Amino acid sequence: VLDNQDAGISLASAVGSLIAIFAAYLLGAAVVSRVGGLIAAALMAIEYTAITWAVDGWRDDTFTAAFLLAAWALVRFHDRASFGNALLVGITGGVACLTRITALSFIVPALLWILASRRTGIRDRAIHTGTALLILTALVAPFLLSCYIATGDPLFAINYHTSYYRHAEGIPIDQPMSAAEYIRMKFARQPIR
C-alpha cells in the first residue's frame, strides 16, 4: 500500500498501538467494568512512551495488542469455558505467540490455572481447554517447524537472543546457549536477583 517505503513499517506499528488501545478497553471492561475499560484505554492512549515508539516500526506495539487481546480472551474463558471462548483463546494466543514466541510463557500456565481453578464442570472445562490448546498448536506449530527446518532449533527465535543478553553482561558469546540454559545459569549464580 505504501510502495515499500519505510513508512509502511511505521504504519503497521501505529496500527498495533491503536489496536492495543481498543484491547485495553476490552480487558479493563472484562476485569473491572466498562468505565474501568475506558480508563484503561485512555491511559494507554496518552502514555508517552507508547506514543513516541508507536511510529518507529517495532513489533512491541503489535505484541502489546496481542498480549492484551489474549489476556482478555483468557479472562472470558475463565469466566465461561465454552467452545467460542476456547476458539478466541486459541486464536488470540496463537497471534501472540506468532508475534513473540515467549507468549507461551503466559498462555500455557494461564490455561492450566484456569483448568485447575474450578472444581465444577471439570470435564467440559478440560474439553474446552484442549480445544484452545489444539487451535493454538495448529497456529504456532508451522512456525516452530519452519524454525526447526531452517536452523535445527524450533525455539531459535528465543534461543538466538541469549547472545545479546550475554554480550551486555560481558559473558562470552562464542558458543550458542539456549534460553533455558541461560535462565538456569542466572538462577544458579544469583537466585534472588
Side-chain angles (χ1 to χ4, degrees):
V1 171
L2 295 175
D3 196 27
N4 284 330
Q5 296 178 38
D6 284 345
I9 301 290
S10 298
L11 180 64
S13 186
V15 168
S17 284
L18 291 174
I19 294 170
I21 293 168
F22 177 68
Y25 166 78
L26 291 175
L27 181 58
V31 172
V32 181
S33 67
R34 288 184 177 166
V35 171
L38 287 173
I39 291 169
L43 290 172
M44 189 74 180
I46 64 170
E47 208 287 313
Y48 178 78
T49 305
I51 293 168
T52 56
W53 281 56
V55 297
D56 283 346
W58 297 92
R59 65 182 174 170
D60 297 317
D61 307 287
T62 305
F63 183 66
T64 300
F67 169 82
L68 291 168
L69 288 170
W72 166 69
L74 286 163
V75 167
R76 287 175 51 102
F77 187 70
H78 177 265
D79 292 345
R80 184 172 174 271
S82 66
F83 177 77
N85 285 337
L87 185 64
L88 190 62
V89 167
I91 292 170
T92 59
V95 169
C97 289
L98 291 174
T99 307
R100 286 232 167 101
I101 194 65
T102 53
L104 287 169
S105 68
F106 76 85
I107 293 168
V108 173
L111 283 171
L112 294 175
W113 180 81
I114 290 168
L115 182 63
S117 68
R118 299 282 172 101
R119 297 294 172 222
T120 58
I122 190 71
R123 184 176 180 277
D124 285 343
R125 189 169 293 277
I127 290 169
H128 295 310
T129 300
T131 301
L133 286 170
L134 184 66
I135 294 165
L136 175 78
T137 301
L139 291 173
V140 177
F143 169 73
L144 296 175
L145 183 60
S146 293
C147 285
Y148 179 75
I149 290 169
T151 68
D153 180 4
L155 298 175
F156 178 78
I158 298 170
N159 294 330
Y160 178 77
H161 289 90
T162 62
S163 62
Y164 293 114
Y165 301 122
R166 289 182 291 149
H167 176 72
E169 296 171 18
I171 300 171
I173 60 170
D174 54 336
Q175 295 293 322
M177 178 183 283
S178 72
E181 178 62 21
Y182 175 77
I183 291 168
R184 189 202 61 72
M185 177 191 71
K186 296 297 285 183
F187 188 74
R189 288 185 182 170
Q190 299 172 323
I192 305 293
R193 184 174 176 203

